[in-house]
Amino acid sequence: MSRHRSLLTLLALTVVMLPGPAAVAALPAMVEDRPLPSLAPMLERVTPAVVNISSVSVVDEAQHPLLSDPFFRRFFDLPRLNRQRRSQSLGSGVIVDAERGYVLTNHHVVDKADEVRVTLADGRVLEAEVLGVDPETDVAVLKIPAEDLHAVRTADSDHLRVGDFVVAIGNPFGLNQTVTSGIVSALGRSGLGIEGYENFIQTDASINPGNSGGPLVNLRGELVGINTAILAPGGGNVGIGFAIPVNMVNSIMSQIVEFGGVRRGVFGVGLQELTPQLAEALDVSIRDGAVVAEVRDDSAADRAGVEVGDIVVELNDKPVLSAAGLRIQLALLRIGDEVRLSVLRGGRERQLRARIADPFEGYVDGATISRFFRGALLGEVVDDSPFGKLEAVAVARVAQDSNAWRIGLRGDDVLIAVNDERVEDLDDLARVTNDNREVWQLKLRRGSRVVTMVAR
């Protein structure tokens, strides 16, 4: 018996067990000349902005190893087939700009999708363009034709409080326009290991598979978050759902719209939480803040005068409540943004200023080195490799479908050698690739592994 059939059977049994119509008292439409409270008027305004998202991926099917053997295929005169299958996933989204057709959803809803379709509340099905994604926060921005669309208004999620009523809207299990309600159970949830940067709103409004990317709204119908995950030890909803705060989403979205992705800068500090034990050891009475555990040489923090042991209590006039919160605040700043810090040092509060640095300053387009590296951003690093600290060439990022991508290079690779010649800097790389060879042997570090590949 299928899961859906089991569910329907359970509902049927529930209906049978209900008392007959004579035993059910009709709810009054008014109580003391006042209408009963209802979310319906708010939902009538919001639900036209909620969409269903269907993403289709085409993947190669695994086949028996014998079918890959050329001799076996020739012997039995088998045609050469490249079998593929289509994989489909469903999620939700919300229109936030009706004039430009911008739709917010989760990165994991459209990840690796070859086709993305958006179904509006009025039944229209539209092809969507993925403007950009940010896997670190699980945010994606889509664009659909801007014709007769409805958008949701946004709130200031920094003003949310634990106990505020919220409503989750989406398409769980493919059930369109499903609404659940609850409260804000907690704020600033992190350390869950779901995303790279976590600052979740926790809610007990039911969120299920298919709700991903849908809106979490307040009782005024304003967007406060994007539903993204649930804690489900038994596989079902247990009243612990998580949404990305809309202020965080808006910051990511503005960069995606402008650049097609997120360009994160670096400040250059390592942080740790200010625990009661650490506060006692540092002889401070405060309980909120972030302790500086490391300052990288020649970083923006170093140039600003930040020191190990400083306790950061404010960033750009906003209080710092924890190390996790400060990491999020810094991650949302753009390259070149000013940083104003209030730090406690030796019992005195100090004001420091800096600017967020470009992590790829000094990197060059790989096309200036060789046609093989066209589409890659390359820079010089001192790499902490399995062989010890080595001077090498880092691959910062690689444009998909570029020549560098086709030969197999990926972001965060570190080039160690070309044709068995050590590559310590960009000049070395230009020298060893400065001839008319058609084949190159590249040795590089990828994660914890050393990989050798052939580039043609």
Side-chain angles (χ1 to χ4, degrees):
M1 182 178 290
S2 71
R3 181 187 182 98
H4 284 204
R5 186 176 174 187
S6 299
L7 177 60
L8 291 173
T9 303
L10 175 62
L11 292 175
L13 288 172
T14 304
V15 172
V16 171
M17 294 171 65
L18 286 174
V24 178
L27 288 172
M30 308 276 286
V31 174
E32 296 181 353
D33 297 327
R34 294 183 180 181
L36 290 176
S38 174
L39 296 175
M42 178 271 285
L43 292 171
E44 288 168 0
R45 298 193 307 272
V46 173
T47 51
V50 182
V51 302
N52 178 286
I53 296 176
S54 171
S55 61
V56 178
S57 304
V58 179
V59 295
D60 293 329
E61 273 195 330
Q63 58 182 0
H64 194 282
L66 277 176
L67 295 177
S68 301
D69 187 328
F71 175 79
F72 182 86
R73 302 189 71 86
R74 285 197 302 271
F75 185 82
F76 288 100
D77 194 25
L78 295 175
R80 186 167 185 83
L81 298 175
N82 184 20
R83 301 188 61 179
Q84 295 180 322
R85 62 180 175 84
R86 292 166 67 85
S87 174
Q88 184 172 0
S89 64
L90 297 175
S92 305
V94 59
I95 301 171
V96 291
D97 190 323
E99 292 184 359
R100 292 183 286 184
Y102 292 160
V103 178
L104 284 173
T105 187
N106 286 140
H107 164 252
H108 74 259
V109 170
V110 297
D111 186 26
K112 298 182 177 66
D114 295 293
E115 302 171 14
V116 178
R117 293 188 179 92
V118 169
T119 303
L120 305 184
D122 61 14
R124 283 182 289 165
V125 180
L126 305 173
E127 295 289 333
E129 173 193 357
V130 180
L131 287 184
V133 300
D134 180 33
E136 293 297 315
T137 57
D138 200 16
V139 172
V141 182
L142 313 181
K143 182 178 175 62
I144 57 176
E147 298 177 6
D148 194 24
L149 301 179
H150 299 273
V152 69
R153 294 179 301 170
T154 59
D156 184 348
S157 55
D158 286 346
H159 291 163
L160 273 180
R161 298 177 302 169
V162 174
D164 284 350
F165 287 101
V166 287
V167 175
I169 312 172
N171 307 284
F173 303 107
L175 300 173
N176 291 344
Q177 298 289 331
T178 297
V179 178
T180 57
S181 65
I183 64 169
V184 174
S185 305
L187 293 168
R189 284 292 190 217
S190 61
L192 304 175
I194 301 172
E195 311 300 345
Y197 296 101
E198 299 180 342
N199 186 34
F200 293 122
I201 302 165
Q202 182 182 325
T203 179
D204 64 349
S206 291
I207 297 173
N208 289 289
N211 270 115
S212 290
L216 188 73
V217 301
N218 60 25
L219 294 191
R220 289 188 292 272
E222 298 167 330
L223 184 67
V224 297
I226 297 295
N227 302 319
T228 191
I230 59 172
L231 192 63
N237 187 285
V238 294
I240 302 178
F242 302 101
I244 310 166
V246 71
N247 287 7
M248 183 173 177
V249 174
N250 283 339
S251 176
I252 298 300
M253 177 179 168
S254 66
Q255 292 208 50
I256 287 176
V257 169
E258 185 174 350
F259 305 119
V262 178
R263 299 180 177 180
R264 287 194 171 85
V266 291
F267 188 55
V269 291
L271 303 169
Q272 68 182 93
E273 298 293 347
L274 180 62
T275 62
Q277 295 81 4
L278 189 54
E280 183 179 354
L282 295 172
D283 194 24
V284 294
S285 58
I286 62 171
R287 291 294 178 262
D288 294 334
V291 181
V292 177
E294 177 191 5
V295 179
R296 297 179 186 91
D297 291 341
D298 200 32
S299 64
D302 187 24
R303 293 190 291 272
V306 179
E307 297 181 3
V308 172
D310 285 350
I311 303 173
V312 183
V313 293
E314 277 189 4
L315 172 66
N316 292 347
D317 302 323
K318 289 187 176 182
V320 172
L321 303 180
S322 64
L326 180 55
R327 289 189 193 98
I328 296 293
Q329 288 175 271
L330 290 170
L332 295 180
L333 295 175
R334 295 187 178 201
I335 295 169
D337 279 355
E338 185 181 43
V339 179
R340 300 185 306 278
L341 294 174
S342 293
V343 303
L344 283 180
R345 183 187 302 165
R348 295 177 53 199
E349 189 167 331
R350 300 169 184 262
Q351 307 300 317
L352 305 175
R353 291 177 179 267
R355 289 196 178 276
I356 296 295
D358 185 349
F360 302 133
E361 187 176 354
Y363 280 59
V364 302
D365 186 338
T368 63
I369 303 295
S370 167
R371 65 180 177 83
F372 283 100
F373 304 124
R374 185 178 294 113
L377 191 63
L378 306 175
E380 300 171 356
V381 295
V382 177
D383 183 49
D384 193 5
S385 76
F387 307 110
K389 291 188 179 294
L390 295 176
E391 293 179 334
V393 173
V395 182
R397 55 176 177 252
V398 183
Q400 288 195 31
D401 297 326
S402 66
N403 200 69
W405 181 275
R406 285 190 291 272
I407 68 174
L409 287 181
R410 298 294 183 264
D412 295 329
D413 284 349
V414 178
L415 282 167
I416 300 170
V418 176
N419 290 343
D420 294 327
E421 289 194 54
R422 275 281 292 118
V423 172
E424 297 185 353
D425 53 33
L426 293 172
D427 288 340
D428 279 352
L429 185 60
R431 176 179 53 78
V432 298
T433 57
N434 188 23
D435 60 32
N436 295 321
R437 294 192 195 187
E438 293 298 322
V439 180
W440 301 96
Q441 185 187 75
L442 308 178
K443 180 182 285 187
L444 52 89
R445 179 183 62 76
R446 178 170 293 169
S448 60
R449 299 181 299 124
V450 174
V451 177
T452 300
M453 63 173 59
V454 175
R456 297 178 184 274

